[in-house]
Amino acid sequence: MNRRFHKMFILLPAALLARLATVLTACDNSDLEGQPEWLGNSIYERLQDGGNYTTMLRLIDDLGYTPVLRQTGSKTLFAADDDAFARWFQSNPWGVNSYEGLSLPQKKLLLGSAMVNNAYLVELLSNVEASPDPLEGMCMRRETSLSEYDSVARWLPSQMPATRYWDAHRHKTQGIVLLADNHSQPMIHFLPRFMQMNNITDEDQRILTNGQSNSRQDAWVNGIRIADRDIVCRNGYIHHMDGVMMPGDNMAQILRSHSNMSQWSTLMDRFCAPYYSEQATQDYNRLNGTQDSVFVLRYFSSQNKQELLQDPGRQAVTASLAFDPGWNHYMYTNPNNTKDLHYDCGALLVPTNDALDYWWNNDGLALQDQYHTWENVPDQVLVELLNVNMVPEFVSTVPSKFENIVNDAKVSMGVQKSDVDSCFMGCNGVVYLTNKVFAPATYSSVAFPALVHTETMNIIYWGIDKLDFKPYLNSMDSYYSFFVPNNSAMLHYVDPCSYGSSQTVLYEFYYDADRATPTVCAHRYKYDMETGTIGDRLSDASTSQVENRMRDILDNLIVVGNVEDGNTYYRTKGGATIRVRAAGQAGTMTIEGGQQIEQLQPTAVTQIFDQTKNGNGKVYVVESEVPSSGRKSVYKTLSEHVEFSRFFDLLRGGDPDSAQYNLTTSIIDNSYSCVDFNIRLFDNYHYTVWVPTNESLDALHEAHLLPYWEDLEAQTDEAWGGDRDAAKRMRYQIRQRIFDFLRYHIQDYSVYMGQGTVAGRYETSKLNPQNRKFFSLLVDADNSHINVTDALHNERHVLTADAALYNNMCREYLFTSKDPETAANGNLYSSAYAVVHLIDGPLFFSDSQLQPMDWTPGGGASRLNKNE
């Protein structure tokens, strides 16, 4: 800095300067009259006295700001001296080598970007104005004196991206007047207090400034260091800059202006279009005396407050970016975050052209093999790559916090400081130029085949994306077997909500690309399960119904594990069990859910995609129908086989609608219906029901170890000689003996013969009153046997002579309607899964169950607990 200028500064304590800032911020013309001389000269006069600010003064004079900076207002000026301008004229992005070479718009940009309304010390620049008190150290961006109209470009046809969105203007030889954004360009500053408050380190500062600073105590504005701070003037402050401060480009402009980012820029620009703006047209023509049509450059984005999902012709776009990199005021927002531009910005990870070429020919071969050239990669496939490299929040992901940058599997992407070649500060974010490509997990995961087969699998992929299954399927910590119904299969889905109705309903899902926002819809038809006949069309499914059914479909098509491991039964993500045969052999491999087993119609797997090389499993495509759960409840299953009849009689009790006398119900919580009757003990989980043979239960009854319901019905007041209390106590004891017996035969965790080795202890539904824990059973199973051992060390065996009496697959639904006849008009609320096995004997949790019970009316009076 000029020594003569420096000696003239008034040096004041920081506390006094802070108080002065408040005074100066509020001052107007009248306030400045008669101010004490110790405040010094005006901003303009300070520059004059400095003797080395002739270029800056010429800008002020030429643009008519002399009266403002000489007398009035309250301003903060970031001033470059003549030495800085001399260096800048030797090398600058505009290619201007002298002051005379500057155009009027360029002069406006240089001065406007260096001037802020109101007077700010560096210490106060990092505060956000708020009520009742400013938020200290939270500001990293603020608006300058720039207007969005200070520099408006004319885009020629040769500059327009090669997409259909620009075709309407490609014939215009003079191009179009195009605003890079219809918001002004704010300045971005890294100031000591901000860096400290946000735990941004010296090393972060070094990387962000490309080695020009090693200390977060330095103050940087638009990529230029402040050499001398807080020069007090009568009408504001001057901050002397190390170089000429130019307006910061937005992130999209940064990509467009650097040749080594050109390929990534081309990919990003596939998602932009020019939008005519009536307001911008009026303002621009009024300011310039022209009659041009003015357009605004916008990027398709799902970003809150800047959402844009339609092209200029109001047609829905096929894909959108995570946010608009051309929005100067970009700020990540969500319902829980309503902060404005002051607090944060975004960031982009942008590979060099060489890095992108290397990836395309190596790790990107999955894309290259599918599409051959970048131009052929569909937008909805390409956007996955772009979005994973769009970092919505900068402050929490600076280089020392790179581990916070997550991919589409919601796990750290593994960005290292050594991956960064250089950094570029933009007005809406920071661009990290990287020496490698960070690919989305989707490109390697089991979600990839559904993504790339946009014509035949876009229905199921919509569900994966819309219902947030993508992070789950993209996890590389698990191996998945993913059964994918293609669009043809999605035309045949039997609605489980209609299982309890007299009219079964069939869904035909389809992808509606003509909507403002493309989405999946569904036609509904009457359907005859016995004949497979599709009947009259019903009302179309609502959005809620489509999403509800789609979520259930996806939950029960994902298996965590390898279905080619030699077993037959596999549990899905949703808790259902599926049966797989001839695994790994496309064309002969089949999958069956409960519905296919009930209908005796296995679903064939027609194609297999192997994603195991760099991914996380295999994809099995089905074409005929959606594999889905059946309609049979435990109640229905038990009722169909005489071999289960004694246990069934105990379970359903004397009154099917009374919780007092049975463990089944048709209405749950007086709000939800089901197909027929659900077991009250079930929750949203999977279970095993062990059913002893009729003979073994009859033997218990004959030995007076297990009463039947007719024994309870015999306990009338009359049978007890009018002793109502005694009859009531006996009824209670019988009921509890039956309930306790049943509860111990219902176990958490479904065990199928054919699901591989199972060896463990599982809780039952019977609570131990002594320790308030549930009694358990020990299960030992493999693909040829299942043994279950009770608390008294009795080992029982699943009987396999009749295939219909074991591995009985059940599902019990809860529908949002109280009436099962109308449940298809609502949604699936929740469900439980179960398997039913016939075993060769009963299970006991306590020796007390082996004590005979005298339930003869009047005969058991001496043993009745008078306190029960």
Side-chain angles (χ1 to χ4, degrees):
M1 179 179 179
N2 184 286
R3 291 177 60 86
R4 178 182 164 206
F5 194 9
H6 184 68
K7 288 178 181 178
M8 298 174 64
F9 297 159
I10 297 174
L11 302 178
L12 299 176
L16 179 56
L17 287 173
R19 289 196 295 273
L20 277 173
T22 304
V23 174
L24 288 171
T25 298
C27 73
D28 56 24
N29 293 350
S30 61
D31 293 327
L32 291 173
E33 295 177 2
Q35 288 188 349
E37 288 198 21
W38 55 264
L39 275 176
N41 293 330
S42 67
I43 292 174
Y44 190 87
E45 291 165 337
R46 285 284 190 188
L47 295 175
Q48 284 182 317
D49 294 341
N52 194 27
Y53 287 84
T54 58
T55 304
M56 182 64 71
L57 288 167
R58 288 182 71 179
L59 285 172
I60 294 170
D61 293 338
D62 288 354
L63 296 174
Y65 269 89
T66 305
V68 175
L69 296 179
R70 183 188 288 276
Q71 299 174 5
T72 64
S74 175
K75 300 287 184 181
T76 302
L77 184 68
F78 299 83
D81 60 24
D82 289 342
D83 293 336
F85 268 104
R87 296 191 302 271
W88 186 80
F89 282 126
Q90 292 177 6
S91 177
N92 61 77
W94 295 341
V96 178
N97 55 25
S98 67
Y99 183 85
E100 289 71 22
L102 289 171
S103 66
L104 179 60
Q106 288 171 337
K107 292 177 182 179
K108 289 181 179 180
L109 291 175
L110 289 175
L111 182 60
S113 64
M115 189 163 53
V116 173
N117 291 328
N118 296 326
Y120 291 101
L121 297 161
V122 165
E123 181 181 359
L124 299 184
L125 269 174
S126 61
N127 291 351
V128 175
E129 296 174 10
S131 179
D133 299 308
L135 299 176
E136 182 181 352
M138 300 304 293
C139 182
M140 71 173 296
R141 288 193 294 165
R142 64 177 63 250
E143 294 193 68
T144 66
S145 297
L146 279 176
S147 162
E148 59 267 36
Y149 300 107
D150 283 342
S151 178
V152 181
R154 184 177 289 274
W155 276 38
L156 300 175
S158 60
Q159 298 172 281
M160 297 176 184
T163 65
R164 62 181 178 86
Y165 310 118
W166 297 81
D167 289 347
H169 309 288
R170 217 175 297 281
H171 68 283
K172 300 175 182 178
T173 56
Q174 298 301 311
I176 59 173
V177 177
L178 186 70
L179 284 172
D181 185 33
N182 54 357
H183 300 83
S184 62
Q185 295 160 273
M187 64 168 50
I188 183 168
H189 44 61
F190 296 151
L191 306 175
R193 188 59 176 153
F194 174 82
M195 306 291 268
Q196 178 186 358
M197 291 291 290
N198 289 280
N199 298 315
I200 300 176
T201 67
D202 290 343
E203 175 69 2
D204 292 331
Q205 182 86 321
R206 184 192 67 78
I207 295 172
L208 293 169
T209 62
N210 297 308
Q212 297 181 70
S213 172
N214 292 313
S215 173
R216 66 179 185 177
Q217 296 306 312
D218 289 340
W220 288 76
V221 183
N222 279 12
I224 305 297
R225 189 177 70 88
I226 299 179
D228 294 288
R229 313 174 187 179
D230 306 335
I231 302 167
V232 183
C233 304
R234 190 173 67 245
N235 59 345
Y237 294 101
I238 297 173
H239 302 296
H240 172 224
M241 307 302 292
D242 250 354
V244 176
M245 199 173 79
M246 298 179 64
D249 287 340
N250 59 49
M251 291 182 280
Q253 291 173 311
I254 290 173
L255 267 63
R256 207 172 291 120
S257 61
H258 287 80
S259 59
N260 56 351
M261 304 182 197
S262 61
Q263 291 189 41
W264 198 263
S265 178
T266 298
L267 299 179
M268 293 281 285
D269 282 350
R270 284 172 55 172
F271 299 87
C272 71
Y275 290 80
Y276 174 75
S277 171
E278 181 66 31
Q279 186 63 53
T281 297
Q282 294 176 4
D283 292 343
Y284 177 81
N285 289 332
R286 174 176 50 80
L287 292 169
N288 296 280
T290 55
Q291 293 185 343
D292 284 306
S293 294
V294 179
F295 298 82
V296 179
L297 180 64
R298 295 282 305 277
Y299 284 78
F300 313 136
S301 163
S302 56
Q303 165 69 27
N304 188 27
K305 293 189 176 180
Q306 192 73 356
E307 184 178 76
L308 182 63
L309 300 174
Q310 292 183 334
D311 66 18
R314 302 197 178 202
Q315 297 298 309
V317 296
T318 56
S320 61
L321 300 176
F323 58 82
D324 184 344
W327 180 21
N328 291 337
H329 288 192
Y330 167 73
M331 175 67 190
Y332 173 72
T333 57
N334 60 40
N336 299 317
N337 176 15
T338 57
K339 295 178 179 179
D340 62 15
L341 65 89
H342 293 89
Y343 297 86
D344 205 346
C345 62
L348 296 180
L349 301 171
V350 178
T352 65
N353 290 345
D354 288 343
L356 187 59
D357 285 340
Y358 179 85
W359 181 84
W360 177 253
N361 292 306
N362 292 275
D363 294 339
L365 283 175
L367 278 189
Q368 189 180 136
D369 291 345
Q370 185 77 24
Y371 302 111
H372 308 300
T373 68
W374 280 111
E375 291 75 16
N376 291 336
V377 179
D379 287 349
Q380 56 268 47
V381 177
L382 174 63
V383 79
E384 301 286 343
L385 174 64
L386 299 177
N387 281 346
V388 82
N389 288 279
M390 302 184 77
V391 184
E393 297 174 279
F394 165 75
V395 172
S396 60
T397 57
V398 293
S400 62
K401 306 171 188 175
F402 271 166
E403 70 274 8
N404 293 337
I405 300 177
V406 298
N407 63 11
D408 48 341
K410 304 302 183 188
V411 298
S412 181
M413 201 147 66
V415 182
Q416 303 295 319
K417 296 173 185 177
S418 57
D419 298 326
V420 177
D421 175 271
S422 51
C423 297
F424 300 84
M425 298 182 193
C427 69
N428 64 347
V430 173
V431 174
Y432 295 103
L433 183 64
T434 63
N435 51 37
K436 65 183 294 186
V437 172
F438 296 93
T442 302
Y443 283 2
S444 302
S445 77
V446 290
F448 185 67
L451 168 67
V452 298
H453 289 82
T454 54
E455 297 299 320
T456 59
M457 299 185 195
N458 57 354
I459 295 176
I460 200 69
Y461 190 77
W462 175 90
I464 294 170
D465 189 35
K466 172 73 174 178
L467 303 180
D468 209 26
F469 278 80
K470 196 187 300 180
Y472 184 88
L473 291 172
N474 287 344
S475 171
M476 295 298 156
D477 294 330
S478 299
Y479 183 101
Y480 295 107
S481 297
F482 185 25
F483 293 88
V484 173
N486 66 10
N487 290 357
S488 295
M490 294 299 290
L491 295 173
H492 194 281
Y493 171 73
V494 179
D495 181 14
C497 292
S498 67
Y499 281 161
S501 169
S502 57
Q503 178 58 66
T504 308
V505 175
L506 181 79
Y507 271 54
E508 285 188 355
F509 291 97
Y510 66 96
Y511 190 84
D512 190 348
D514 295 329
R515 294 201 176 195
T517 301
T519 190
V520 167
C521 304
H523 300 310
R524 301 191 314 148
Y525 296 88
K526 294 180 179 180
Y527 184 65
D528 188 325
M529 289 280 287
E530 298 299 323
T531 64
T533 303
I534 299 176
D536 296 337
R537 181 170 166 179
L538 304 169
S539 60
D540 284 354
S542 67
T543 299
S544 172
Q545 289 174 314
V546 168
E547 293 183 4
N548 178 258
R549 306 317 193 266
M550 183 69 78
R551 186 178 300 279
D552 191 59
I553 289 171
L554 283 166
D555 270 337
N556 293 311
L557 292 177
I558 302 168
V559 173
V560 181
N562 185 1
V563 299
E564 297 182 21
D565 63 3
N567 298 319
T568 305
Y569 290 90
Y570 299 90
R571 184 161 298 112
T572 68
K573 174 182 179 294
T577 299
I578 58 173
R579 185 164 69 187
V580 177
R581 288 172 169 161
Q585 304 172 40
T588 58
M589 180 179 178
T590 61
I591 172 180
E592 296 167 277
Q595 183 197 129
Q596 286 69 45
I597 290 174
E598 291 170 11
Q599 297 297 114
L600 304 177
Q601 293 179 343
T603 302
V605 172
T606 58
Q607 192 172 13
I608 300 175
F609 292 96
D610 190 343
Q611 296 294 111
T612 58
K613 182 178 180 182
N614 297 309
N616 59 355
K618 287 188 178 183
V619 175
Y620 303 89
V621 180
V622 297
E623 298 182 359
S624 60
E625 65 176 334
V626 178
S628 52
S629 301
R631 67 194 308 163
K632 289 187 179 180
S633 62
V634 172
Y635 185 96
K636 178 66 172 176
T637 298
L638 295 176
S639 71
E640 291 181 335
H641 300 280
V642 67
E643 292 85 353
F644 298 150
S645 60
R646 288 288 186 265
F647 190 86
F648 178 51
D649 288 340
L650 290 173
L651 188 69
R652 62 177 176 168
D655 182 356
D657 291 318
S658 172
Q660 184 178 9
Y661 289 104
N662 72 77
L663 297 180
T664 62
T665 181
S666 59
I667 296 292
I668 296 86
D669 295 335
N670 201 34
S671 299
Y672 309 104
S673 63
C674 57
V675 175
D676 38 44
F677 295 98
N678 283 2
I679 294 181
R680 297 178 189 272
L681 306 176
F682 284 176
D683 203 344
N684 192 24
Y685 193 61
H686 51 92
Y687 303 87
T688 301
V689 180
W690 307 103
V691 181
T693 63
N694 293 338
E695 294 76 13
S696 68
L697 295 183
D698 284 341
L700 290 180
H701 182 258
E702 291 173 7
H704 274 247
L705 300 181
L706 178 66
Y708 286 163
W709 287 112
E710 54 264 32
D711 299 314
L712 181 144
E713 293 167 1
Q715 311 302 319
T716 63
D717 295 348
E718 291 77 10
W720 280 82
D723 190 342
R724 175 177 297 181
D725 291 339
K728 181 178 179 181
R729 287 194 296 272
M730 180 55 77
R731 288 195 296 270
Y732 174 82
Q733 290 187 10
I734 291 174
R735 184 165 61 249
Q736 288 306 111
R737 178 73 72 111
I738 295 174
F739 280 1
D740 288 348
F741 181 86
L742 292 171
R743 286 174 181 272
Y744 194 59
H745 287 75
I746 297 175
Q747 164 202 302
D748 292 352
Y749 193 85
S750 292
V751 178
Y752 282 81
M753 190 182 301
Q755 74 180 71
T757 301
V758 177
R761 187 170 291 279
Y762 300 96
E763 290 184 343
T764 68
S765 297
K766 169 55 184 168
L767 186 69
N768 185 339
Q770 302 302 317
N771 59 17
R772 306 303 297 171
K773 295 181 180 180
F774 290 94
F775 287 107
S776 63
L777 292 167
L778 184 64
V779 177
D780 166 58
D782 60 21
N783 291 344
S784 61
H785 83 281
I786 300 178
N787 298 333
V788 55
T789 303
D790 65 19
L792 302 187
H793 308 293
N794 297 303
E795 184 177 87
R796 307 304 186 193
H797 312 90
V798 171
L799 299 176
T800 59
D802 187 343
L805 301 179
Y806 68 98
N807 281 357
N808 281 275
M809 196 177 291
C810 308
R811 185 178 185 185
E812 302 199 344
Y813 303 86
L814 288 187
F815 308 127
T816 55
S817 168
K818 291 178 65 173
D819 182 358
E821 279 295 330
T822 61
N825 297 327
N827 284 324
L828 175 61
Y829 179 71
S830 69
S831 66
Y833 300 91
V835 59
V836 175
H837 300 291
L838 184 68
I839 56 176
D840 57 3
L843 303 167
F844 299 101
F845 59 84
S846 171
D847 288 329
S848 64
Q849 292 179 280
L850 301 181
Q851 298 300 316
M853 178 181 183
D854 186 356
W855 50 72
T856 305
S862 62
R863 293 188 303 280
L864 286 177
N865 185 345
K866 302 295 183 181
N867 295 321
E868 289 183 347

